[in-house]
Structures are given as structure tokens and as C-alpha cells.
Amino acid sequence: MKYQIKQTNELTEKEIEHILQLWDISVWNTMKPAYFRTFFKDSEFHFLLDSHSEILAVFRLNFDFVLEISGIQYAFAEAVGLVAAHKKKGYGAMLVKEFKENVAQRNLETIGFCHAGLRSFYEKCSIEILYDKAKAIKEHAGSEWINSEDDDILIFNVSQPIKEQLIALSSKNNAYLITKE
């Protein structure tokens, strides 16, 4: 097995089709490669590949992710879209291990999110989890701010001062997802 990272513009059409198939998000299923490359231009893709370079697992690193906490904006690399081609084979866990080592080596402030049902997977992968902290993140929806749908914040690589900001999140101390206009 091989760990590989590709920028969005380095992905082949076949790889893009396979990623979309693995993600299985209905509104993205018909996405064409050119649009995919534009839509995910601020991302890189982390893969676990078999000996024939077939994708066993994929993880996307989104570099367009900013949270405002107490009036200060923090830019993160957001780990999202982890999926394995075959369940219960350990491919997702292997990719998470490689991914975590990579972002630590590159000193990238990297977080992710999960629902409570995925906690045990990330615990087995030795990922630090800030339980129930994602609910304190507000996202803009139309003219109002709504709570994130996720439960937990996953810490892949974050400096101690920023981790303390995330730990301090609560219903009275929200973070706000800042999106580009």
C-alpha cells in the first residue's frame, strides 16, 4: 500500500470519478472533472492506494476554512471527506495515521469534525477529540447563524494556544465559520 497526496489539478478524470463515487453525495454525483477542479481548488487529496494504484481510501484537506473566535480569525486546514473503498479492512485508519503524520510534519493547523457515531473510529486512530464542541460553531444560513450539524472537533495538528481557544467554545462562546463572498 502507498500513501500519496495530489493537488486538485493533478487528479485524473478516473480518480475524480472514483472520489465522487466513494463520497456518494447526490448533488455532486454528476459533477464534471473541470467543475470538480474549480469547486475544490483550495484542497488537496490524500490517498491510500493499493499496488495497482487503485484508491483504497481518500481524505480531502480543505485550505479554505476560517473560524472567528472572540473576534479573531483563525485559518485552519480542514480534514473532510474521509471514506474507504471497502469497510472494515483498516484502510481508513491507515490513511488517518499517514495523514496525521503528514500534517504534523508540515506543521499545518488541521482540524476535522465528526458526529458522535464516529467517535469510536477516531478514538481507535488516536485522534484527540473535543467532545460536543462542534455544536458551538455557527454557520451562516441565509440571514441567520445556525449551529453546526457535527458534534465533535477532531484535532489532527493544532498549536496549544489555538487548541485552548477550541476547548473554550460553548453555547456562550461561539465560533463563526467565515466564508468568502
Side-chain angles (χ1 to χ4, degrees):
M1 281 177 272
K2 183 172 85 172
Y3 174 63
Q4 185 178 52
I5 302 170
K6 284 191 171 188
Q7 302 305 312
T8 307
N9 61 359
E10 298 171 326
L11 296 171
T12 66
E13 290 192 10
K14 183 177 177 242
E15 288 168 331
I16 290 170
E17 286 173 16
H18 196 177
I19 292 165
L20 290 170
Q21 178 187 10
L22 289 172
W23 283 346
D24 193 26
I25 297 172
S26 58
V27 296
W28 292 351
N29 283 344
T30 58
M31 193 182 283
K32 299 291 181 234
Y35 184 68
F36 180 98
R37 289 185 182 99
T38 301
F39 194 79
F40 295 111
K41 69 183 180 336
D42 295 322
S43 300
E44 67 183 21
F45 292 80
H46 294 245
F47 298 104
L48 186 68
L49 304 171
D50 68 12
S51 58
H52 305 293
S53 294
E54 289 294 320
I55 299 170
L56 297 174
V58 61
F59 215 174
R60 180 170 74 91
L61 194 55
N62 171 22
F63 291 104
D64 183 22
F65 192 83
V66 176
L67 290 178
E68 185 174 302
I69 305 170
S70 302
I72 300 170
Q73 291 190 2
Y74 297 92
F76 292 95
E78 178 198 23
V80 355
L82 173 65
V83 66
H86 307 283
K87 305 294 179 225
K88 304 288 185 198
K89 301 259 189 204
Y91 300 142
M94 282 185 252
L95 181 55
V96 167
K97 178 182 179 295
E98 295 283 351
F99 175 85
K100 184 179 176 187
E101 289 173 10
N102 179 274
V103 296
Q105 286 170 354
R106 293 162 60 191
N107 200 26
L108 292 174
E109 299 275 355
T110 307
I111 60 175
F113 302 94
C114 75
H115 293 283
L118 290 172
R119 287 175 178 163
S120 63
F121 170 78
Y122 287 105
E123 288 167 345
K124 287 177 194 162
C125 293
S126 301
I127 299 301
E128 183 178 356
I129 301 172
L130 303 182
Y131 298 96
D132 299 314
K133 293 295 182 177
K135 292 285 184 213
I137 297 173
K138 301 277 189 179
E139 300 176 18
H140 212 246
S143 61
E144 60 184 11
W145 291 92
I146 60 168
N147 290 358
S148 166
E149 292 181 7
D150 291 303
D151 295 305
D152 306 327
I153 299 174
L154 305 171
I155 302 293
F156 290 95
N157 186 65
V158 174
S159 66
Q160 192 59 36
I162 293 177
K163 187 189 303 184
E164 288 168 10
Q165 290 289 328
L166 295 171
I167 290 169
L169 293 177
S170 69
S171 61
K172 292 178 177 43
N173 181 32
N174 295 114
Y176 296 89
L177 179 62
I178 304 301
T179 53
K180 293 178 186 169
E181 296 303 319

